[in-house]
Amino acid sequence: MDTIVSFTDMNKHFNEHHVLKNINVQFNKGETTVILGPSGSGKSTLLRCINLLEIPQTGTLEIESLKVDFTAKLNQKDRLSIRQNTAMVFQSFNLFPHMTVLENVIEGPITVLKKDKTKMVSIGEQLLEKVGLLHKKDSFPSQLSGGQQQRVAIARALAMEPKFLLFDEPTSALDPELEGEVLKVLKALAEEDKSMIIVTHNLNFARVVADRILFLENGEIVFDGKTEQFFNNTENERINSFIQSMQFI
Ligand SMILES: Nc1ncnc2c1ncn2[C@@H]1O[C@H](COP(=O)(O)OP(=O)(O)OP(=O)(O)O)[C@@H](O)[C@H]1O
Ligand SMILES: [Mg+2]
């Protein structure tokens, strides 16, 4: 399996608070990794360190042939090169309200990647079709349900052709019946072997889509392994009690 993202001995502090502790982890091409763990364990921070929305104090990040050492000052060129490898989908969609659905999807590739507009319109329409929203291409975000807005945000992330897709609780702002339509899109992407890292509290979803689970607690990776192993991990009391507590909410 090709590794394309890895952290070595990575530490992240927020002032005196040590939020990620000596993280050593690899993310592989074509794999869907789900990050689980209690609130405050560092899941979002870990995800945000991959695209440098947060900058660790020590350790290294490698994305394919790029390597940054966090003890040195990060230059703008490296920062941009790292960022171009990933696209993040947030809990709160973050669409541009004054742009139509199609414009939202193709804006990044045209302005950032300098892609041809006519070509992008056609690609954008294909991506909207993929997330089941081609019929909404001329609508504005405010005219869409939360689930539809999140599917547009996914199409927008795909339009940037990132090597890795990052999702931070992509369905936690949605009603349960809208959650399903977003999870179906993510499941289809996982089946296409897209490279994805997903933070979620939805264990049933994790069980179905994840090739691999990372379980974080107090800023440490307590489990890193196959999904089946995680859910059948009867010896690890901490994991068992986490799974149990999530199932009886
Ligand atoms: N910008 C920040 N400034 C200071 N502390 C922060 C900041 N962001 C996160 N933290 C702290 O870092 C720790 C990890 O936060 P993080 O958001 O990564 O947790 P999480 O696992 O994503 O939690 P949740 O499941 O609630 O989203 C928490 O104690 C949080 O309070
Ligand atoms: Mg979080």
Side-chain angles (χ1 to χ4, degrees), residues 17 36 50 80 119 224:
H17 189 175
L36 300 172
I50 295 174
L80 287 176
K119 259 193 213 141
D224 176 355

Side-chain angles (χ1 to χ4, degrees), residues 38-45 48 91 168-169 199 201:
S39 183
S41 57
K43 305 180 297 296
S44 297
T45 307
R48 291 164 66 83
Q91 189 177 341
D168 194 357
E169 299 197 39
V199 174
H201 286 284

